[in-house]
Amino acid sequence: MLGGGGGRRAVAAVLRRAAAGGRAASGEGQGQDPDPGQGSGSGRPQPLEPSLLRFLVCPLSKRPLRYEEATNELINEELGIAYPIIDGIPNMIPEAARTTRKKPPAEGSKQP
């Protein structure tokens, strides 16, 4: 566990900032003026907050993920899956991930 809760507070603050961009139209900005081009209606995907990447790991393998800016996804090279980022928030549900490999990773090995 994280000692003192400082890490959890930092993650919560980053998630709140990311979520505020998509909720600006609902009046929940609380005095902040988020960039209007970053909301969900802008037509272009909102990128991942860079400071959030160091806290995120794959829920299946518990390994770090790589951010792919071109596709706006978090990539797990080891498992060959990509998690989408929607409105700046990663969708880390394994069923929402797409496969990035055409061949299974254990193709050459014989498993019982």
Side-chain angles (χ1 to χ4, degrees), residues 22-65:
R23 293 195 172 96
S26 67
E28 293 179 17
Q30 298 176 348
Q32 296 175 343
D33 187 20
D35 182 4
Q38 295 293 315
S40 58
S42 68
R44 81 184 149 124
Q46 184 175 355
L48 179 73
E49 176 74 31
S51 61
L52 190 58
L53 189 57
R54 64 184 154 155
F55 295 106
L56 296 175
V57 296
C58 176
L60 298 174
S61 69
K62 309 298 187 251
R63 307 278 299 176
L65 298 163

Side-chain angles (χ1 to χ4, degrees), residues 70-108:
T71 59
N72 201 34
E73 295 174 317
L74 293 174
I75 310 292
N76 181 323
E77 302 279 351
E78 185 178 305
L79 297 180
I81 56 176
Y83 296 99
I85 299 172
I86 302 163
D87 291 333
I89 301 171
N91 184 346
M92 304 291 286
I93 300 171
E95 292 81 13
R98 70 173 180 88
T99 56
T100 59
R101 294 183 187 154
K102 295 192 189 282
K103 300 175 186 174
E107 181 181 292

